Amino acid sequence: MRIAYGGHPGAFGELACLGRFPDDEPIGFDTFRMACDALVGGDCDRAVIPFENSIAGAVPGVEALIASLPVTRIDVHPQPVVFHCLAIPGARLDQIEVVASHPMALAECRHFLSRLGVREEEAGDTAGAASEVAAAGSLTRAALASTRAAELYRLEVLAADVQDSADNVTYFAVLERA
Ligand SMILES: O=C(O)C(=O)Cc1ccccc1
Protein backbone atom coordinates (compact mmCIF):
# COMPACT_ATOMS: atom_id res chain seq x y z
CA MET A 1 0.00 0.00 0.00
CA ARG A 2 0.95 3.66 -0.44
CA ILE A 3 0.75 5.53 2.87
CA ALA A 4 0.46 9.34 2.71
CA TYR A 5 2.09 11.61 5.32
CA GLY A 6 2.78 15.33 5.58
CA GLY A 7 6.44 16.24 5.25
CA HIS A 8 9.76 15.07 3.80
CA PRO A 9 11.68 11.83 4.44
CA GLY A 10 12.85 11.88 8.07
CA ALA A 11 9.68 13.62 9.31
CA PHE A 12 7.87 12.08 12.29
CA GLY A 13 4.97 11.37 9.92
CA GLU A 14 7.28 9.09 7.92
CA LEU A 15 8.43 7.39 11.16
CA ALA A 16 4.75 6.88 12.12
CA CYS A 17 4.04 5.31 8.68
CA LEU A 18 7.04 2.97 9.02
CA GLY A 19 5.98 2.05 12.59
CA ARG A 20 2.32 1.37 11.77
CA PHE A 21 2.83 -0.04 8.23
CA PRO A 22 6.35 -1.54 8.19
CA ASP A 23 5.83 -3.40 4.89
CA ASP A 24 4.28 -0.49 2.96
CA GLU A 25 5.55 2.59 1.15
CA PRO A 26 5.43 6.01 2.88
CA ILE A 27 4.73 8.86 0.43
CA GLY A 28 5.49 12.42 1.62
CA PHE A 29 3.36 15.46 0.74
CA ASP A 30 4.08 19.14 1.38
CA THR A 31 1.08 19.60 3.70
CA PHE A 32 -1.30 17.47 5.81
CA ARG A 33 -4.07 18.69 3.49
CA MET A 34 -2.25 17.39 0.40
CA ALA A 35 -1.64 14.02 2.12
CA CYS A 36 -5.39 13.75 2.87
CA ASP A 37 -6.27 14.78 -0.69
CA ALA A 38 -4.03 11.97 -2.00
CA LEU A 39 -6.05 9.51 0.10
CA VAL A 40 -9.43 10.90 -0.95
CA GLY A 41 -8.39 11.03 -4.64
CA GLY A 42 -7.13 7.41 -4.65
CA ASP A 43 -3.38 8.11 -5.16
CA CYS A 44 -2.75 6.64 -1.68
CA ASP A 45 -4.43 3.87 0.36
CA ARG A 46 -4.05 5.31 3.87
CA ALA A 47 -3.01 8.65 5.39
CA VAL A 48 -1.20 9.08 8.73
CA ILE A 49 -1.77 12.58 10.17
CA PRO A 50 -0.73 14.00 13.59
CA PHE A 51 -3.61 15.49 15.61
CA GLU A 52 -2.41 15.74 19.25
CA ASN A 53 0.88 16.01 21.15
CA SER A 54 1.47 15.26 24.83
CA ILE A 55 3.35 18.56 25.42
CA ALA A 56 1.91 21.03 22.90
CA GLY A 57 -1.71 19.80 22.67
CA ALA A 58 -3.86 19.77 19.53
CA VAL A 59 -2.20 20.21 16.13
CA PRO A 60 -3.94 23.37 14.80
CA GLY A 61 -6.44 22.74 12.00
CA VAL A 62 -6.14 18.95 11.82
CA GLU A 63 -9.42 17.95 13.53
CA ALA A 64 -11.31 20.39 11.27
CA LEU A 65 -9.46 19.06 8.21
CA ILE A 66 -10.34 15.42 9.03
CA ALA A 67 -13.96 16.33 9.78
CA SER A 68 -14.30 18.11 6.43
CA LEU A 69 -13.27 15.11 4.30
CA PRO A 70 -14.85 11.75 3.36
CA VAL A 71 -12.35 9.75 5.47
CA THR A 72 -12.66 7.34 8.42
CA ARG A 73 -10.26 7.23 11.38
CA ILE A 74 -9.49 3.51 11.68
CA ASP A 75 -6.74 3.69 14.30
CA VAL A 76 -4.54 5.98 16.41
CA HIS A 77 -0.76 5.48 16.24
CA PRO A 78 1.20 6.88 19.23
CA GLN A 79 4.60 7.98 17.92
CA PRO A 80 7.40 8.75 20.43
CA VAL A 81 8.96 12.08 19.37
CA VAL A 82 12.58 12.90 20.24
CA PHE A 83 14.09 16.10 18.83
CA HIS A 84 17.73 16.86 18.20
CA CYS A 85 19.27 20.22 17.36
CA LEU A 86 20.94 19.60 13.97
CA ALA A 87 23.41 21.70 11.98
CA ILE A 88 26.03 21.27 9.26
CA PRO A 89 29.28 19.53 10.21
CA GLY A 90 31.64 21.99 11.90
CA ALA A 91 28.91 24.16 13.44
CA ARG A 92 28.97 24.86 17.20
CA LEU A 93 25.92 25.33 19.41
CA ASP A 94 27.14 28.76 20.62
CA GLN A 95 27.28 30.01 17.00
CA ILE A 96 23.65 29.15 16.19
CA GLU A 97 21.43 32.21 15.58
CA VAL A 98 18.35 30.70 13.90
CA VAL A 99 16.54 27.43 14.68
CA ALA A 100 13.95 26.23 12.17
CA SER A 101 11.25 23.55 12.54
CA HIS A 102 7.56 22.77 12.40
CA PRO A 103 5.62 25.05 14.83
CA MET A 104 4.64 21.99 16.96
CA ALA A 105 8.32 21.06 17.28
CA LEU A 106 9.24 24.62 18.35
CA ALA A 107 6.42 24.44 20.94
CA GLU A 108 7.72 21.10 22.28
CA CYS A 109 11.27 22.46 22.77
CA ARG A 110 10.45 25.78 24.57
CA HIS A 111 12.96 25.34 27.42
CA PHE A 112 15.85 24.52 25.10
CA LEU A 113 15.08 27.39 22.71
CA SER A 114 14.74 30.01 25.45
CA ARG A 115 17.99 28.84 27.08
CA LEU A 116 19.74 29.18 23.71
CA GLY A 117 18.17 32.60 22.99
CA VAL A 118 17.87 32.11 19.22
CA ARG A 119 15.47 33.34 16.55
CA GLU A 120 12.81 30.75 15.67
CA GLU A 121 11.74 30.10 12.09
CA GLU A 122 8.62 28.10 11.22
CA ALA A 123 8.88 25.39 8.56
CA GLY A 124 6.33 23.09 6.91
CA ASP A 125 7.82 20.04 8.61
CA THR A 126 10.80 19.04 10.74
CA ALA A 127 12.63 17.14 7.99
CA GLY A 128 12.08 19.96 5.48
CA ALA A 129 13.72 22.30 7.99
CA ALA A 130 16.68 19.89 8.28
CA SER A 131 17.02 19.64 4.51
CA GLU A 132 17.01 23.45 4.21
CA VAL A 133 19.69 23.78 6.91
CA ALA A 134 21.85 21.34 4.92
CA ALA A 135 21.22 23.18 1.63
CA ALA A 136 21.97 26.62 3.15
CA GLY A 137 25.35 25.42 4.43
CA SER A 138 25.46 28.15 7.10
CA LEU A 139 27.21 27.68 10.47
CA THR A 140 24.56 29.85 12.17
CA ARG A 141 21.45 27.82 11.24
CA ALA A 142 20.02 24.73 12.94
CA ALA A 143 16.88 22.59 12.77
CA LEU A 144 14.92 20.55 15.34
CA ALA A 145 14.33 17.13 13.79
CA SER A 146 14.76 13.36 14.12
CA THR A 147 17.84 11.14 14.12
CA ARG A 148 16.68 9.83 10.74
CA ALA A 149 16.63 13.41 9.36
CA ALA A 150 20.20 13.91 10.65
CA GLU A 151 21.33 10.81 8.76
CA LEU A 152 19.42 11.55 5.55
CA TYR A 153 20.63 15.18 5.27
CA ARG A 154 24.11 14.51 6.75
CA LEU A 155 23.73 16.89 9.67
CA GLU A 156 25.46 16.73 13.04
CA VAL A 157 23.67 16.49 16.39
CA LEU A 158 24.71 19.63 18.34
CA ALA A 159 22.33 18.80 21.22
CA ALA A 160 20.33 15.59 21.70
CA ASP A 161 16.88 15.04 23.28
CA VAL A 162 15.98 18.74 23.46
CA GLN A 163 12.18 18.36 23.90
CA ASP A 164 10.69 19.67 27.18
CA SER A 165 9.62 16.22 28.38
CA ALA A 166 11.42 12.89 27.90
CA ASP A 167 8.22 10.92 27.23
CA ASN A 168 6.98 13.16 24.40
CA VAL A 169 4.37 11.41 22.23
CA THR A 170 2.45 12.57 19.16
CA TYR A 171 -0.80 10.80 18.28
CA PHE A 172 -1.32 10.16 14.56
CA ALA A 173 -4.75 9.43 13.06
CA VAL A 174 -4.68 6.50 10.63
CA LEU A 175 -7.20 7.35 7.91
CA GLU A 176 -8.84 5.47 5.07
CA ARG A 177 -11.37 6.58 2.46
CA ALA A 178 -14.92 6.59 3.86
O1 LIG B 1 7.15 17.76 10.83
C1 LIG B 1 7.11 16.54 11.15
O2 LIG B 1 8.10 15.84 11.32
C2 LIG B 1 5.78 15.95 11.35
O3 LIG B 1 5.59 14.78 11.10
C3 LIG B 1 4.76 16.79 12.05
C4 LIG B 1 5.13 16.81 13.48
C5 LIG B 1 5.82 17.89 13.99
C6 LIG B 1 6.18 17.91 15.33
C7 LIG B 1 5.85 16.84 16.14
C8 LIG B 1 5.18 15.75 15.62
C9 LIG B 1 4.81 15.75 14.28
Side-chain angles (χ1 to χ4, degrees):
M1 292 197 296
R2 288 163 60 83
I3 318 294
Y5 69 93
H8 295 79
F12 290 96
E14 188 200 36
L15 296 176
C17 290
L18 293 168
R20 178 63 178 74
F21 298 103
D23 299 324
D24 295 290
E25 188 187 1
I27 312 280
F29 291 88
D30 278 354
T31 63
F32 301 140
R33 160 109 232 169
M34 288 163 78
C36 288
D37 286 347
L39 171 66
V40 171
D43 175 29
C44 287
D45 307 289
R46 300 282 185 275
V48 173
I49 307 291
F51 64 96
E52 176 89 22
N53 172 263
S54 56
I55 299 175
V59 182
V62 166
E63 286 297 351
L65 172 65
I66 292 174
S68 74
L69 295 170
V71 297
T72 308
R73 192 180 312 214
I74 56 168
D75 201 0
V76 172
H77 178 79
Q79 174 65 43
V81 171
V82 174
F83 291 109
H84 308 302
C85 182
L86 308 177
I88 60 166
R92 292 198 329 258
L93 194 55
D94 62 6
Q95 295 176 311
I96 298 301
E97 291 168 8
V98 178
V99 174
S101 202
H102 186 279
M104 288 298 284
L106 298 170
E108 290 162 42
C109 302
R110 280 272 149 266
H111 300 328
F112 172 75
L113 290 168
S114 58
R115 217 167 42 236
L116 211 57
V118 288
R119 192 153 58 78
E120 296 173 19
E121 217 172 80
E122 296 193 352
D125 74 297
T126 59
S131 134
E132 280 166 20
V133 163
S138 161
L139 292 168
T140 64
R141 295 181 64 82
L144 300 174
S146 67
T147 304
R148 182 170 165 82
E151 288 163 3
L152 288 173
Y153 305 111
R154 301 187 204 294
L155 295 175
E156 267 178 12
V157 176
L158 297 188
D161 286 14
V162 298
Q163 68 282 352
D164 290 355
S165 138
D167 51 4
N168 189 24
V169 177
T170 294
Y171 298 93
F172 284 76
V174 180
L175 305 173
E176 67 176 25
R177 270 184 299 285

